[in-house]
Amino acid sequence: MTIETTRSLADSHRSVALPVGGSAWRRFLAFAGPGYLVAVGYMDPGNWATDIAGGSAFGYALLSVILLSNLMAMVLQALCVRLGVAAGLDLAQACRAQYSRPVAIILWILCEIAIVACDLAEVLGTAIALKLLFGLPLVWGVIVTAVDVFLILALQRYGFRRLEAFIIALLLVIAGCFAFELLLARPDPVAVAKGLIPTTRIVTDPAMLYLAIGILGATVMPHNLYLHSSIVQTRAFVQDAGGKREAARLATIDGTVALGLAFFINAAILILAAATFHTAGRTDVAEIDEAYRLLAPTLGAGTASVVFAVALLAAGQNSTVTGTLAGQIVMEGFLNLRLPTWLRRVVTRALAIVPAVLVVGASGDTGATRLLVLSQVILSLQLPFAVVPLVAFTGRRDIMGEFASPAWLRAVAWGITAIIIGLNLTLLYGML
């Protein structure tokens, strides 16, 4: 069934030309980019505290949870690619087309709340990084993040490909920072390999289970599902069955490779905490600024803490760019309403800055940490409302045609959905 709707991200829709003929490598490179914008959401500041706490408390044992989380994310993002390529719809547009208007409005409101919560994590992460690097008070750091609006507007003027290049450059900075940190920490490779194998202790130890649920619950970000299904349509692939098949395959490879980089960075945070804090008997390190203070004296290198803060700043900046795009996609898709990019960004950032300033001003650093945790809870609550429609739509032939998910993929996707929902509810119950 063909669903008439406006183009997703109309200014960038099919704006990236693909080489005619040429090698398979050149064609793959033309598709490379959207997956890295999505991967940003899997390593944003909201994940750092959980990875640090898991590594310091339990060593390398929770690496298997990070690996499992990434494998599940790869499946869900592959479904987003299918939806965008085959149906020509992003997830928000599909929801508007398939559900009644009241249901679509409710889903839109829930998604907007999740985007503001995600932006809140980026605001706090950037503010913490500015404090660690330059001694800027947390409240002023939060206010400074408003400047991000102008950064994003400047990037979008130069085309979608330049935006992707900026994101990839910052991802490489983050990866380079953690590669440097791991060289200093010298983790035990045998222990790291063992940590990738799940153990029953993860389930039987309540404290470890709680952290494991936190890692899983914070991995799949709702806005990423809307984002990926839209930005994959920036490629000008041929609109016949063969062209769509190639586009889906190459875009899925792009996403999988990018999420592999996200796995390395998340795993590196946990490995760094395990090799630095856990082995030294510091099993209580759970906050980003505390890890920053302890890295230099523990590793014996003054640059260790600075490099850590630089990576955090890059992660915050990266996440704020993709959050803006997701907000634009969601509003256009659910409401068929377009706002100027600057206005959309100002509104989203203001909704994040106001509570951050109030809480940090009243409670200081402790309040910032609590607010960071609250933002992750809000994201967990919204997640099922994005995952369930995605899995349902991509399994329907009236929407997807011959690209509908086969039975085995539907079974895997619904299994992942059940795990994510169950673990997120458990995490929420534990926090409450």
Side-chain angles (χ1 to χ4, degrees):
M1 180 178 73
T2 302
I3 301 172
E4 295 297 332
T5 187
T6 57
R7 293 174 175 179
S8 183
L9 288 181
D11 293 340
S12 303
H13 185 82
R14 298 179 61 78
S15 63
V16 179
L18 302 178
V20 179
S23 66
W25 177 246
R26 279 190 64 206
R27 294 190 66 77
F28 168 71
L29 288 179
F31 275 92
Y36 294 89
L37 270 69
V38 171
V40 165
Y42 293 90
M43 60 185 86
D44 76 330
N47 290 345
W48 284 45
T50 308
D51 291 335
I52 291 170
S56 66
F58 301 108
Y60 306 103
L62 292 177
L63 277 174
S64 59
V65 179
I66 295 179
L67 178 60
L68 176 63
S69 301
N70 261 72
L71 292 175
M72 293 194 301
M74 287 175 182
V75 174
L76 293 178
Q77 297 301 158
L79 293 182
C80 293
V81 168
R82 277 176 173 259
L83 181 64
V85 170
L89 298 168
D90 62 53
L91 183 56
Q93 292 173 333
C95 288
R96 179 166 60 88
Q98 295 298 320
Y99 296 139
S100 65
R101 184 156 181 80
V103 172
I105 292 295
I106 292 171
L107 291 177
W108 168 67
I109 293 172
L110 289 171
C111 192
E112 291 286 4
I113 292 172
I115 289 172
V116 171
C118 188
D119 203 46
L120 183 59
E122 274 100 56
V123 164
L124 292 172
T126 301
I128 291 171
L130 292 172
K131 176 190 172 186
L132 298 178
L133 286 170
F134 308 111
L136 193 67
L138 213 54
V139 172
W140 285 107
V142 169
I143 295 172
V144 166
T145 59
V147 179
D148 290 342
V149 176
F150 304 103
L151 169 66
I152 294 159
L153 290 174
L155 285 172
Q156 289 185 330
R157 286 180 56 193
Y158 295 103
F160 204 80
R161 206 65 168 138
R162 298 287 179 87
L163 181 65
E164 291 173 346
F166 174 78
I167 293 293
I168 292 173
L170 285 183
L171 286 178
L172 292 177
V173 168
I174 299 169
C177 287
F178 278 110
F180 173 77
E181 300 277 17
L182 292 181
L183 284 175
L184 293 177
R186 298 178 186 174
D188 180 357
V190 175
V192 171
K194 287 182 179 178
L196 294 171
I197 303 172
T199 66
T200 55
R201 186 187 167 201
I202 296 175
V203 179
T204 57
D205 185 330
M208 186 180 284
L209 177 61
Y210 184 74
L211 277 175
I213 292 171
I215 291 171
L216 279 166
T219 294
V220 182
M221 294 293 179
H223 72 276
N224 266 344
L225 305 180
Y226 296 96
L227 178 67
H228 205 178
S229 55
S230 174
I231 59 178
V232 74
Q233 298 179 55
T234 58
R235 270 48 184 178
F237 54 88
V238 179
Q239 294 294 299
D240 59 19
K244 290 181 177 180
R245 194 172 293 110
E246 181 191 45
R249 177 172 54 83
L250 294 178
T252 299
I253 294 173
D254 168 54
T256 303
V257 171
L259 288 178
L261 177 62
F263 167 72
F264 165 76
I265 291 173
N266 276 325
I269 297 172
L270 188 142
I271 291 170
L272 179 64
T276 306
F277 306 133
H278 185 77
T279 55
R282 290 302 306 266
T283 59
D284 58 335
V285 180
E287 297 187 9
I288 294 172
D289 54 350
E290 186 179 12
Y292 169 85
R293 288 194 302 270
L294 292 172
L295 273 175
T298 306
L299 293 177
T303 55
S305 293
V306 175
V307 169
F308 178 82
V310 168
L312 177 62
L313 182 61
Q317 289 302 299
N318 249 354
S319 299
T320 199
V321 173
T322 57
T324 298
L325 282 176
Q328 182 181 346
I329 290 161
V330 165
M331 178 169 285
E332 291 179 3
F334 276 114
L335 304 182
N336 200 24
L337 173 67
R338 295 191 65 191
L339 290 180
T341 305
W342 67 268
L343 179 59
R344 168 72 217 191
R345 186 61 198 154
V346 166
V347 171
T348 303
R349 182 45 56 100
L351 290 173
I353 285 178
V354 171
V357 169
L358 293 176
V359 172
V360 171
S363 307
D365 293 6
T366 303
T369 300
R370 290 175 181 169
L371 199 57
L372 198 59
V373 172
L374 177 61
S375 71
Q376 301 307 297
V377 175
I378 295 172
L379 287 169
S380 296
L381 276 172
Q382 205 279 328
L383 186 58
F385 298 98
V387 174
V388 171
L390 172 67
V391 177
F393 294 156
T394 51
R396 288 174 49 179
R397 292 191 67 86
D398 61 327
I399 297 176
M400 303 292 293
E402 65 180 275
F403 294 93
S405 301
W408 69 268
L409 182 55
R410 291 199 301 273
V412 171
W414 282 118
I416 290 172
T417 303
I419 291 172
I420 289 175
I421 292 174
L423 291 176
N424 275 279
L425 290 176
T426 304
L427 175 64
L428 178 64
Y429 176 78
M431 287 181 169
L432 293 177

